[in-house]
Amino acid sequence: MSPSPNAPTPVAIPEPTLKRLPYYYKFIQGQREARRDFVSCTTLAEALGLNPIQVRKDLQATGAVGRPKVGYHVETTLDAIEECLGYHNTQDIFLVGAGHLGQALLAYPGFAEIGFNLVAAFDADPAKVGREVAGKPILEASRLSDLVRRMHIQIAILAVPAAAAQMVTDTLVRAGIRAIWNFTPTRLAVPREVLVQDENLLASLSVLSKQLENSRVKSHKESIHGKPEEL
Amino acid sequence: MSPSPNAPTPVAIPEPTLKRLPYYYKFIQGQREARRDFVSCTTLAEALGLNPIQVRKDLQATGAVGRPKVGYHVETTLDAIEECLGYHNTQDIFLVGAGHLGQALLAYPGFAEIGFNLVAAFDADPAKVGREVAGKPILEASRLSDLVRRMHIQIAILAVPAAAAQMVTDTLVRAGIRAIWNFTPTRLAVPREVLVQDENLLASLSVLSKQLENSRVKSHKESIHGKPEEL
DNA sequence: CTGCTTTCGGTAAAGTTTTATCGATATGGA
DNA sequence: TCCATATCGATAAAACTTTACCGAAAGCAG
């Protein structure tokens, strides 16, 4: 399994593909429960509203291999996706900021299923410290740095107020964090070796609303010019 | 302001750009508070860790106009972004599903700032119905359809359990919803004219973790081959 | 006033991601 | 057994996004 020194680097899988894989995974799991042994790109694509060719390319990226006229073997393909997304190797993560959103994340049971173990939250508010949410303790913010270091935590969820975002980030970075899942609407300044995944909810909502506006204009124009809808 | 019949359709702004605009907006607001009248792409890019050329192209897309050697006028540019993202035209939205995440969204004060008015939540759980979160009522799920119709709600936030996602979606669609901000890990089947913005948290976390793994492999390889880090 | 430097706008190139095309393979039915 | 068809894998084209380049405008210093 260990690649030879100059093995062709297992080409990084594009982010859009990574984001789609969980959907495939879920659907294929459903097929397994339905006692199906194989699933084709066509089926997947139809169920998920995607392009079959895209599905095929995505699955290829995971290393899954299909059989013409039959499709992909359910078990093998599930394994390939799990392997690809790292659902196996479980990993401890911390949450910083136990406000409404933070507590919702604390209580969310889904992380465990994909190999993450959210072990504790940290907050600066003494009123919250000491409480538990879904069995996970909320600890004093001052202990964050030390625990990240000692427990070799690599990923942290950042759900603090925007004003504190950069400061907390600096603390995390100094403590040796490797990746930050950022729920604040702030661009974090981090050293190049630290990864940040932004989850800017306001931005997403803005996008949706803008696209809605666009589609309104478009369909209005279409109705004026009599352009028919295509199938 | 009304475009002539065959005016060049104000080219749809690419989604990546839309997602970056809120960051520019926030930073430029900061500049205004600091009593600065102009801001350059270079400054913005440096502050946000982006490419200056990208920033310029993004701002151009909003219609903002800059002056060589000076930059973009703070007030005008803020207006352009507001106009572009529709921060002005406020819009009522509904939340469906008042679980942990749903309640966190209910309590989130940020929506109002970008022109959204989250007026009510809906839930099937009688224990939750009747309660209020941050002054927003949680109503019976059975009233959803009627209220969407009567209030001409265009955007709904979907934060129900995955198992209910498609069913609730169908209800929303029948009631005339135009766009769904989907927090469930499900691909929703909707008619073409209905927009869906997926916010798949598990998928995002998987991406982060996978990229972390990649970067580990890469830096390991680099250290073996002695490839130096670039500035 | 002249020349230097910063920054913009427009156009072009490079890089990514999505979609299309085509031959090969395996299955099921004639 | 042989043919029609569904589906895969590979390669190529198209679309989209990011990055680079270059000339022009505008401020600043001498």
PDB file of all heavy atoms in Angstrom, chain C residues 16-29:
ATOM      1  P    DT C  16      -4.805  23.464 -11.734  1.00  0.00           P
ATOM      2  OP1  DT C  16      -4.034  23.362 -10.518  1.00  0.00           O
ATOM      3  OP2  DT C  16      -4.651  22.468 -12.838  1.00  0.00           O
ATOM      4  O5'  DT C  16      -6.346  23.479 -11.309  1.00  0.00           O
ATOM      5  C5'  DT C  16      -7.230  24.067 -12.197  1.00  0.00           C
ATOM      6  C4'  DT C  16      -8.628  24.118 -11.648  1.00  0.00           C
ATOM      7  O4'  DT C  16      -9.408  24.629 -12.722  1.00  0.00           O
ATOM      8  C3'  DT C  16      -9.227  22.758 -11.319  1.00  0.00           C
ATOM      9  O3'  DT C  16     -10.291  22.948 -10.393  1.00  0.00           O
ATOM     10  C2'  DT C  16      -9.699  22.289 -12.673  1.00  0.00           C
ATOM     11  C1'  DT C  16     -10.155  23.601 -13.340  1.00  0.00           C
ATOM     12  N1   DT C  16      -9.897  23.666 -14.804  1.00  0.00           N
ATOM     13  C2   DT C  16     -10.944  24.044 -15.618  1.00  0.00           C
ATOM     14  O2   DT C  16     -12.039  24.337 -15.194  1.00  0.00           O
ATOM     15  N3   DT C  16     -10.646  24.059 -16.956  1.00  0.00           N
ATOM     16  C4   DT C  16      -9.435  23.743 -17.542  1.00  0.00           C
ATOM     17  O4   DT C  16      -9.300  23.789 -18.758  1.00  0.00           O
ATOM     18  C5   DT C  16      -8.379  23.362 -16.623  1.00  0.00           C
ATOM     19  C7   DT C  16      -7.035  23.008 -17.157  1.00  0.00           C
ATOM     20  C6   DT C  16      -8.655  23.337 -15.304  1.00  0.00           C
ATOM     21  P    DT C  17     -10.995  21.693  -9.697  1.00  0.00           P
ATOM     22  OP1  DT C  17     -11.377  22.117  -8.350  1.00  0.00           O
ATOM     23  OP2  DT C  17     -10.191  20.475  -9.919  1.00  0.00           O
ATOM     24  O5'  DT C  17     -12.326  21.560 -10.568  1.00  0.00           O
ATOM     25  C5'  DT C  17     -13.244  22.648 -10.594  1.00  0.00           C
ATOM     26  C4'  DT C  17     -14.298  22.401 -11.654  1.00  0.00           C
ATOM     27  O4'  DT C  17     -13.701  22.456 -12.962  1.00  0.00           O
ATOM     28  C3'  DT C  17     -14.991  21.037 -11.563  1.00  0.00           C
ATOM     29  O3'  DT C  17     -16.373  21.303 -11.400  1.00  0.00           O
ATOM     30  C2'  DT C  17     -14.638  20.343 -12.872  1.00  0.00           C
ATOM     31  C1'  DT C  17     -14.351  21.526 -13.790  1.00  0.00           C
ATOM     32  N1   DT C  17     -13.440  21.265 -14.939  1.00  0.00           N
ATOM     33  C2   DT C  17     -13.866  21.594 -16.224  1.00  0.00           C
ATOM     34  O2   DT C  17     -14.960  22.055 -16.454  1.00  0.00           O
ATOM     35  N3   DT C  17     -12.947  21.348 -17.212  1.00  0.00           N
ATOM     36  C4   DT C  17     -11.682  20.816 -17.062  1.00  0.00           C
ATOM     37  O4   DT C  17     -10.948  20.641 -18.029  1.00  0.00           O
ATOM     38  C5   DT C  17     -11.297  20.498 -15.705  1.00  0.00           C
ATOM     39  C7   DT C  17      -9.945  19.925 -15.434  1.00  0.00           C
ATOM     40  C6   DT C  17     -12.189  20.740 -14.718  1.00  0.00           C
ATOM     41  P    DT C  18     -17.453  20.111 -11.383  1.00  0.00           P
ATOM     42  OP1  DT C  18     -18.544  20.522 -10.501  1.00  0.00           O
ATOM     43  OP2  DT C  18     -16.756  18.822 -11.185  1.00  0.00           O
ATOM     44  O5'  DT C  18     -17.989  20.157 -12.885  1.00  0.00           O
ATOM     45  C5'  DT C  18     -18.611  21.343 -13.366  1.00  0.00           C
ATOM     46  C4'  DT C  18     -19.000  21.156 -14.816  1.00  0.00           C
ATOM     47  O4'  DT C  18     -17.822  20.894 -15.604  1.00  0.00           O
ATOM     48  C3'  DT C  18     -19.952  19.983 -15.075  1.00  0.00           C
ATOM     49  O3'  DT C  18     -21.042  20.502 -15.806  1.00  0.00           O
ATOM     50  C2'  DT C  18     -19.107  18.987 -15.873  1.00  0.00           C
ATOM     51  C1'  DT C  18     -18.101  19.897 -16.556  1.00  0.00           C
ATOM     52  N1   DT C  18     -16.791  19.283 -16.912  1.00  0.00           N
ATOM     53  C2   DT C  18     -16.368  19.326 -18.223  1.00  0.00           C
ATOM     54  O2   DT C  18     -17.028  19.808 -19.120  1.00  0.00           O
ATOM     55  N3   DT C  18     -15.125  18.758 -18.437  1.00  0.00           N
ATOM     56  C4   DT C  18     -14.301  18.186 -17.497  1.00  0.00           C
ATOM     57  O4   DT C  18     -13.212  17.722 -17.818  1.00  0.00           O
ATOM     58  C5   DT C  18     -14.809  18.188 -16.143  1.00  0.00           C
ATOM     59  C7   DT C  18     -13.982  17.593 -15.048  1.00  0.00           C
ATOM     60  C6   DT C  18     -16.014  18.731 -15.914  1.00  0.00           C
ATOM     61  P    DT C  19     -22.283  19.554 -16.157  1.00  0.00           P
ATOM     62  OP1  DT C  19     -23.474  20.410 -16.233  1.00  0.00           O
ATOM     63  OP2  DT C  19     -22.242  18.361 -15.288  1.00  0.00           O
ATOM     64  O5'  DT C  19     -21.936  19.095 -17.649  1.00  0.00           O
ATOM     65  C5'  DT C  19     -21.839  20.089 -18.663  1.00  0.00           C
ATOM     66  C4'  DT C  19     -21.372  19.448 -19.942  1.00  0.00           C
ATOM     67  O4'  DT C  19     -20.026  18.961 -19.800  1.00  0.00           O
ATOM     68  C3'  DT C  19     -22.223  18.252 -20.410  1.00  0.00           C
ATOM     69  O3'  DT C  19     -22.656  18.548 -21.725  1.00  0.00           O
ATOM     70  C2'  DT C  19     -21.250  17.075 -20.345  1.00  0.00           C
ATOM     71  C1'  DT C  19     -19.915  17.767 -20.551  1.00  0.00           C
ATOM     72  N1   DT C  19     -18.722  17.052 -20.044  1.00  0.00           N
ATOM     73  C2   DT C  19     -17.668  16.824 -20.904  1.00  0.00           C
ATOM     74  O2   DT C  19     -17.673  17.159 -22.061  1.00  0.00           O
ATOM     75  N3   DT C  19     -16.600  16.170 -20.341  1.00  0.00           N
ATOM     76  C4   DT C  19     -16.476  15.733 -19.032  1.00  0.00           C
ATOM     77  O4   DT C  19     -15.463  15.169 -18.658  1.00  0.00           O
ATOM     78  C5   DT C  19     -17.618  16.010 -18.192  1.00  0.00           C
ATOM     79  C7   DT C  19     -17.582  15.578 -16.757  1.00  0.00           C
ATOM     80  C6   DT C  19     -18.679  16.652 -18.723  1.00  0.00           C
ATOM     81  P    DA C  20     -23.526  17.493 -22.535  1.00  0.00           P
ATOM     82  OP1  DA C  20     -24.515  18.254 -23.318  1.00  0.00           O
ATOM     83  OP2  DA C  20     -23.953  16.426 -21.610  1.00  0.00           O
ATOM     84  O5'  DA C  20     -22.460  16.902 -23.554  1.00  0.00           O
ATOM     85  C5'  DA C  20     -21.733  17.795 -24.380  1.00  0.00           C
ATOM     86  C4'  DA C  20     -20.796  17.018 -25.289  1.00  0.00           C
ATOM     87  O4'  DA C  20     -19.712  16.479 -24.525  1.00  0.00           O
ATOM     88  C3'  DA C  20     -21.451  15.825 -26.011  1.00  0.00           C
ATOM     89  O3'  DA C  20     -21.104  15.905 -27.380  1.00  0.00           O
ATOM     90  C2'  DA C  20     -20.844  14.615 -25.328  1.00  0.00           C
ATOM     91  C1'  DA C  20     -19.481  15.139 -24.895  1.00  0.00           C
ATOM     92  N9   DA C  20     -18.916  14.492 -23.716  1.00  0.00           N
ATOM     93  C8   DA C  20     -19.498  14.386 -22.480  1.00  0.00           C
ATOM     94  N7   DA C  20     -18.739  13.770 -21.598  1.00  0.00           N
ATOM     95  C5   DA C  20     -17.586  13.448 -22.304  1.00  0.00           C
ATOM     96  C6   DA C  20     -16.404  12.794 -21.938  1.00  0.00           C
ATOM     97  N6   DA C  20     -16.173  12.326 -20.714  1.00  0.00           N
ATOM     98  N1   DA C  20     -15.445  12.645 -22.883  1.00  0.00           N
ATOM     99  C2   DA C  20     -15.681  13.124 -24.114  1.00  0.00           C
ATOM    100  N3   DA C  20     -16.753  13.762 -24.579  1.00  0.00           N
ATOM    101  C4   DA C  20     -17.678  13.896 -23.613  1.00  0.00           C
ATOM    102  P    DT C  21     -21.736  14.867 -28.417  1.00  0.00           P
ATOM    103  OP1  DT C  21     -22.013  15.640 -29.638  1.00  0.00           O
ATOM    104  OP2  DT C  21     -22.806  14.087 -27.755  1.00  0.00           O
ATOM    105  O5'  DT C  21     -20.509  13.895 -28.715  1.00  0.00           O
ATOM    106  C5'  DT C  21     -19.216  14.457 -28.919  1.00  0.00           C
ATOM    107  C4'  DT C  21     -18.213  13.344 -29.159  1.00  0.00           C
ATOM    108  O4'  DT C  21     -17.713  12.855 -27.898  1.00  0.00           O
ATOM    109  C3'  DT C  21     -18.772  12.111 -29.893  1.00  0.00           C
ATOM    110  O3'  DT C  21     -17.808  11.692 -30.852  1.00  0.00           O
ATOM    111  C2'  DT C  21     -18.944  11.091 -28.786  1.00  0.00           C
ATOM    112  C1'  DT C  21     -17.773  11.443 -27.884  1.00  0.00           C
ATOM    113  N1   DT C  21     -17.913  11.036 -26.467  1.00  0.00           N
ATOM    114  C2   DT C  21     -16.835  10.466 -25.836  1.00  0.00           C
ATOM    115  O2   DT C  21     -15.766  10.285 -26.397  1.00  0.00           O
ATOM    116  N3   DT C  21     -17.054  10.134 -24.525  1.00  0.00           N
ATOM    117  C4   DT C  21     -18.208  10.292 -23.802  1.00  0.00           C
ATOM    118  O4   DT C  21     -18.269   9.957 -22.634  1.00  0.00           O
ATOM    119  C5   DT C  21     -19.311  10.891 -24.519  1.00  0.00           C
ATOM    120  C7   DT C  21     -20.605  11.106 -23.833  1.00  0.00           C
ATOM    121  C6   DT C  21     -19.118  11.230 -25.810  1.00  0.00           C
ATOM    122  P    DC C  22     -18.233  10.646 -31.992  1.00  0.00           P
ATOM    123  OP1  DC C  22     -17.799  11.227 -33.274  1.00  0.00           O
ATOM    124  OP2  DC C  22     -19.645  10.239 -31.790  1.00  0.00           O
ATOM    125  O5'  DC C  22     -17.309   9.395 -31.655  1.00  0.00           O
ATOM    126  C5'  DC C  22     -15.983   9.602 -31.130  1.00  0.00           C
ATOM    127  C4'  DC C  22     -15.436   8.277 -30.640  1.00  0.00           C
ATOM    128  O4'  DC C  22     -15.672   8.167 -29.219  1.00  0.00           O
ATOM    129  C3'  DC C  22     -16.106   7.055 -31.283  1.00  0.00           C
ATOM    130  O3'  DC C  22     -15.150   6.067 -31.572  1.00  0.00           O
ATOM    131  C2'  DC C  22     -17.076   6.589 -30.207  1.00  0.00           C
ATOM    132  C1'  DC C  22     -16.262   6.918 -28.953  1.00  0.00           C
ATOM    133  N1   DC C  22     -17.077   7.017 -27.714  1.00  0.00           N
ATOM    134  C2   DC C  22     -16.512   6.627 -26.501  1.00  0.00           C
ATOM    135  O2   DC C  22     -15.346   6.220 -26.473  1.00  0.00           O
ATOM    136  N3   DC C  22     -17.259   6.704 -25.367  1.00  0.00           N
ATOM    137  C4   DC C  22     -18.518   7.146 -25.424  1.00  0.00           C
ATOM    138  N4   DC C  22     -19.214   7.210 -24.294  1.00  0.00           N
ATOM    139  C5   DC C  22     -19.116   7.548 -26.659  1.00  0.00           C
ATOM    140  C6   DC C  22     -18.363   7.470 -27.763  1.00  0.00           C
ATOM    141  P    DG C  23     -15.500   4.907 -32.589  1.00  0.00           P
ATOM    142  OP1  DG C  23     -14.894   5.273 -33.880  1.00  0.00           O
ATOM    143  OP2  DG C  23     -16.939   4.585 -32.497  1.00  0.00           O
ATOM    144  O5'  DG C  23     -14.669   3.705 -31.968  1.00  0.00           O
ATOM    145  C5'  DG C  23     -13.333   3.911 -31.492  1.00  0.00           C
ATOM    146  C4'  DG C  23     -13.085   2.999 -30.301  1.00  0.00           C
ATOM    147  O4'  DG C  23     -13.955   3.399 -29.200  1.00  0.00           O
ATOM    148  C3'  DG C  23     -13.413   1.520 -30.575  1.00  0.00           C
ATOM    149  O3'  DG C  23     -12.401   0.723 -29.978  1.00  0.00           O
ATOM    150  C2'  DG C  23     -14.779   1.328 -29.922  1.00  0.00           C
ATOM    151  C1'  DG C  23     -14.666   2.266 -28.729  1.00  0.00           C
ATOM    152  N9   DG C  23     -15.942   2.737 -28.178  1.00  0.00           N
ATOM    153  C8   DG C  23     -16.995   3.293 -28.872  1.00  0.00           C
ATOM    154  N7   DG C  23     -18.000   3.616 -28.110  1.00  0.00           N
ATOM    155  C5   DG C  23     -17.584   3.247 -26.830  1.00  0.00           C
ATOM    156  C6   DG C  23     -18.264   3.354 -25.591  1.00  0.00           C
ATOM    157  O6   DG C  23     -19.388   3.804 -25.353  1.00  0.00           O
ATOM    158  N1   DG C  23     -17.479   2.853 -24.543  1.00  0.00           N
ATOM    159  C2   DG C  23     -16.222   2.337 -24.686  1.00  0.00           C
ATOM    160  N2   DG C  23     -15.630   1.903 -23.569  1.00  0.00           N
ATOM    161  N3   DG C  23     -15.583   2.241 -25.835  1.00  0.00           N
ATOM    162  C4   DG C  23     -16.321   2.709 -26.866  1.00  0.00           C
ATOM    163  P    DA C  24     -12.467  -0.838 -30.008  1.00  0.00           P
ATOM    164  OP1  DA C  24     -11.099  -1.329 -30.231  1.00  0.00           O
ATOM    165  OP2  DA C  24     -13.575  -1.223 -30.919  1.00  0.00           O
ATOM    166  O5'  DA C  24     -12.891  -1.223 -28.534  1.00  0.00           O
ATOM    167  C5'  DA C  24     -12.072  -0.778 -27.445  1.00  0.00           C
ATOM    168  C4'  DA C  24     -12.567  -1.416 -26.163  1.00  0.00           C
ATOM    169  O4'  DA C  24     -13.826  -0.809 -25.784  1.00  0.00           O
ATOM    170  C3'  DA C  24     -12.837  -2.925 -26.281  1.00  0.00           C
ATOM    171  O3'  DA C  24     -12.442  -3.539 -25.054  1.00  0.00           O
ATOM    172  C2'  DA C  24     -14.346  -2.993 -26.495  1.00  0.00           C
ATOM    173  C1'  DA C  24     -14.831  -1.802 -25.657  1.00  0.00           C
ATOM    174  N9   DA C  24     -16.080  -1.193 -26.103  1.00  0.00           N
ATOM    175  C8   DA C  24     -16.435  -0.860 -27.384  1.00  0.00           C
ATOM    176  N7   DA C  24     -17.632  -0.314 -27.471  1.00  0.00           N
ATOM    177  C5   DA C  24     -18.084  -0.292 -26.160  1.00  0.00           C
ATOM    178  C6   DA C  24     -19.279   0.163 -25.573  1.00  0.00           C
ATOM    179  N6   DA C  24     -20.277   0.713 -26.273  1.00  0.00           N
ATOM    180  N1   DA C  24     -19.404   0.033 -24.240  1.00  0.00           N
ATOM    181  C2   DA C  24     -18.399  -0.513 -23.544  1.00  0.00           C
ATOM    182  N3   DA C  24     -17.239  -0.973 -23.979  1.00  0.00           N
ATOM    183  C4   DA C  24     -17.136  -0.831 -25.313  1.00  0.00           C
ATOM    184  P    DT C  25     -12.510  -5.087 -24.903  1.00  0.00           P
ATOM    185  OP1  DT C  25     -11.292  -5.502 -24.207  1.00  0.00           O
ATOM    186  OP2  DT C  25     -12.899  -5.674 -26.216  1.00  0.00           O
ATOM    187  O5'  DT C  25     -13.748  -5.274 -23.911  1.00  0.00           O
ATOM    188  C5'  DT C  25     -13.726  -4.621 -22.651  1.00  0.00           C
ATOM    189  C4'  DT C  25     -15.016  -4.932 -21.919  1.00  0.00           C
ATOM    190  O4'  DT C  25     -16.111  -4.196 -22.527  1.00  0.00           O
ATOM    191  C3'  DT C  25     -15.431  -6.403 -21.971  1.00  0.00           C
ATOM    192  O3'  DT C  25     -15.924  -6.757 -20.699  1.00  0.00           O
ATOM    193  C2'  DT C  25     -16.533  -6.414 -23.019  1.00  0.00           C
ATOM    194  C1'  DT C  25     -17.193  -5.071 -22.729  1.00  0.00           C
ATOM    195  N1   DT C  25     -18.039  -4.491 -23.794  1.00  0.00           N
ATOM    196  C2   DT C  25     -19.247  -3.939 -23.436  1.00  0.00           C
ATOM    197  O2   DT C  25     -19.659  -3.928 -22.312  1.00  0.00           O
ATOM    198  N3   DT C  25     -19.969  -3.409 -24.482  1.00  0.00           N
ATOM    199  C4   DT C  25     -19.607  -3.380 -25.807  1.00  0.00           C
ATOM    200  O4   DT C  25     -20.349  -2.876 -26.640  1.00  0.00           O
ATOM    201  C5   DT C  25     -18.328  -3.972 -26.110  1.00  0.00           C
ATOM    202  C7   DT C  25     -17.835  -3.995 -27.539  1.00  0.00           C
ATOM    203  C6   DT C  25     -17.610  -4.492 -25.105  1.00  0.00           C
ATOM    204  P    DA C  26     -15.734  -8.214 -20.124  1.00  0.00           P
ATOM    205  OP1  DA C  26     -14.822  -8.194 -18.962  1.00  0.00           O
ATOM    206  OP2  DA C  26     -15.471  -9.109 -21.270  1.00  0.00           O
ATOM    207  O5'  DA C  26     -17.190  -8.506 -19.582  1.00  0.00           O
ATOM    208  C5'  DA C  26     -17.758  -7.595 -18.650  1.00  0.00           C
ATOM    209  C4'  DA C  26     -19.247  -7.536 -18.876  1.00  0.00           C
ATOM    210  O4'  DA C  26     -19.533  -6.952 -20.164  1.00  0.00           O
ATOM    211  C3'  DA C  26     -19.929  -8.909 -18.876  1.00  0.00           C
ATOM    212  O3'  DA C  26     -20.982  -8.864 -17.943  1.00  0.00           O
ATOM    213  C2'  DA C  26     -20.457  -9.075 -20.301  1.00  0.00           C
ATOM    214  C1'  DA C  26     -20.658  -7.629 -20.708  1.00  0.00           C
ATOM    215  N9   DA C  26     -20.642  -7.366 -22.148  1.00  0.00           N
ATOM    216  C8   DA C  26     -19.684  -7.703 -23.054  1.00  0.00           C
ATOM    217  N7   DA C  26     -19.946  -7.321 -24.279  1.00  0.00           N
ATOM    218  C5   DA C  26     -21.163  -6.680 -24.175  1.00  0.00           C
ATOM    219  C6   DA C  26     -21.997  -6.053 -25.125  1.00  0.00           C
ATOM    220  N6   DA C  26     -21.689  -5.962 -26.429  1.00  0.00           N
ATOM    221  N1   DA C  26     -23.154  -5.512 -24.682  1.00  0.00           N
ATOM    222  C2   DA C  26     -23.452  -5.604 -23.391  1.00  0.00           C
ATOM    223  N3   DA C  26     -22.759  -6.176 -22.398  1.00  0.00           N
ATOM    224  C4   DA C  26     -21.614  -6.694 -22.864  1.00  0.00           C
ATOM    225  P    DT C  27     -21.465 -10.165 -17.225  1.00  0.00           P
ATOM    226  OP1  DT C  27     -21.280  -9.944 -15.782  1.00  0.00           O
ATOM    227  OP2  DT C  27     -20.887 -11.333 -17.905  1.00  0.00           O
ATOM    228  O5'  DT C  27     -23.038 -10.142 -17.511  1.00  0.00           O
ATOM    229  C5'  DT C  27     -23.788  -8.981 -17.149  1.00  0.00           C
ATOM    230  C4'  DT C  27     -24.951  -8.820 -18.112  1.00  0.00           C
ATOM    231  O4'  DT C  27     -24.480  -8.607 -19.446  1.00  0.00           O
ATOM    232  C3'  DT C  27     -25.876 -10.037 -18.185  1.00  0.00           C
ATOM    233  O3'  DT C  27     -27.092  -9.679 -17.548  1.00  0.00           O
ATOM    234  C2'  DT C  27     -26.027 -10.308 -19.673  1.00  0.00           C
ATOM    235  C1'  DT C  27     -25.506  -9.030 -20.307  1.00  0.00           C
ATOM    236  N1   DT C  27     -24.908  -9.149 -21.665  1.00  0.00           N
ATOM    237  C2   DT C  27     -25.535  -8.529 -22.739  1.00  0.00           C
ATOM    238  O2   DT C  27     -26.572  -7.901 -22.625  1.00  0.00           O
ATOM    239  N3   DT C  27     -24.904  -8.681 -23.952  1.00  0.00           N
ATOM    240  C4   DT C  27     -23.717  -9.364 -24.190  1.00  0.00           C
ATOM    241  O4   DT C  27     -23.249  -9.430 -25.318  1.00  0.00           O
ATOM    242  C5   DT C  27     -23.119  -9.993 -23.040  1.00  0.00           C
ATOM    243  C7   DT C  27     -21.852 -10.757 -23.209  1.00  0.00           C
ATOM    244  C6   DT C  27     -23.734  -9.849 -21.833  1.00  0.00           C
ATOM    245  P    DG C  28     -28.195 -10.733 -17.234  1.00  0.00           P
ATOM    246  OP1  DG C  28     -28.898 -10.289 -16.015  1.00  0.00           O
ATOM    247  OP2  DG C  28     -27.556 -12.066 -17.308  1.00  0.00           O
ATOM    248  O5'  DG C  28     -29.204 -10.602 -18.465  1.00  0.00           O
ATOM    249  C5'  DG C  28     -29.694  -9.305 -18.826  1.00  0.00           C
ATOM    250  C4'  DG C  28     -30.569  -9.439 -20.047  1.00  0.00           C
ATOM    251  O4'  DG C  28     -29.725  -9.524 -21.228  1.00  0.00           O
ATOM    252  C3'  DG C  28     -31.424 -10.712 -20.057  1.00  0.00           C
ATOM    253  O3'  DG C  28     -32.700 -10.392 -20.609  1.00  0.00           O
ATOM    254  C2'  DG C  28     -30.645 -11.665 -20.945  1.00  0.00           C
ATOM    255  C1'  DG C  28     -30.007 -10.704 -21.948  1.00  0.00           C
ATOM    256  N9   DG C  28     -28.743 -11.177 -22.500  1.00  0.00           N
ATOM    257  C8   DG C  28     -27.761 -11.919 -21.867  1.00  0.00           C
ATOM    258  N7   DG C  28     -26.731 -12.183 -22.628  1.00  0.00           N
ATOM    259  C5   DG C  28     -27.050 -11.584 -23.849  1.00  0.00           C
ATOM    260  C6   DG C  28     -26.305 -11.538 -25.070  1.00  0.00           C
ATOM    261  O6   DG C  28     -25.207 -12.010 -25.308  1.00  0.00           O
ATOM    262  N1   DG C  28     -27.001 -10.825 -26.045  1.00  0.00           N
ATOM    263  C2   DG C  28     -28.235 -10.233 -25.878  1.00  0.00           C
ATOM    264  N2   DG C  28     -28.726  -9.600 -26.931  1.00  0.00           N
ATOM    265  N3   DG C  28     -28.931 -10.275 -24.748  1.00  0.00           N
ATOM    266  C4   DG C  28     -28.278 -10.967 -23.776  1.00  0.00           C
ATOM    267  P    DG C  29     -33.818 -11.473 -20.728  1.00  0.00           P
ATOM    268  OP1  DG C  29     -35.002 -10.938 -20.022  1.00  0.00           O
ATOM    269  OP2  DG C  29     -33.268 -12.796 -20.373  1.00  0.00           O
ATOM    270  O5'  DG C  29     -34.138 -11.461 -22.289  1.00  0.00           O
ATOM    271  C5'  DG C  29     -34.276 -10.211 -22.979  1.00  0.00           C
ATOM    272  C4'  DG C  29     -34.247 -10.462 -24.470  1.00  0.00           C
ATOM    273  O4'  DG C  29     -32.912 -10.870 -24.868  1.00  0.00           O
ATOM    274  C3'  DG C  29     -35.178 -11.588 -24.924  1.00  0.00           C
ATOM    275  O3'  DG C  29     -35.683 -11.277 -26.209  1.00  0.00           O
ATOM    276  C2'  DG C  29     -34.260 -12.792 -24.976  1.00  0.00           C
ATOM    277  C1'  DG C  29     -32.978 -12.149 -25.485  1.00  0.00           C
ATOM    278  N9   DG C  29     -31.749 -12.869 -25.156  1.00  0.00           N
ATOM    279  C8   DG C  29     -31.419 -13.470 -23.962  1.00  0.00           C
ATOM    280  N7   DG C  29     -30.238 -14.030 -23.964  1.00  0.00           N
ATOM    281  C5   DG C  29     -29.761 -13.787 -25.247  1.00  0.00           C
ATOM    282  C6   DG C  29     -28.531 -14.166 -25.854  1.00  0.00           C
ATOM    283  O6   DG C  29     -27.583 -14.792 -25.358  1.00  0.00           O
ATOM    284  N1   DG C  29     -28.450 -13.719 -27.165  1.00  0.00           N
ATOM    285  C2   DG C  29     -29.434 -13.010 -27.809  1.00  0.00           C
ATOM    286  N2   DG C  29     -29.174 -12.670 -29.072  1.00  0.00           N
ATOM    287  N3   DG C  29     -30.579 -12.652 -27.273  1.00  0.00           N
ATOM    288  C4   DG C  29     -30.674 -13.079 -25.980  1.00  0.00           C
TER     289       DG C  29
END
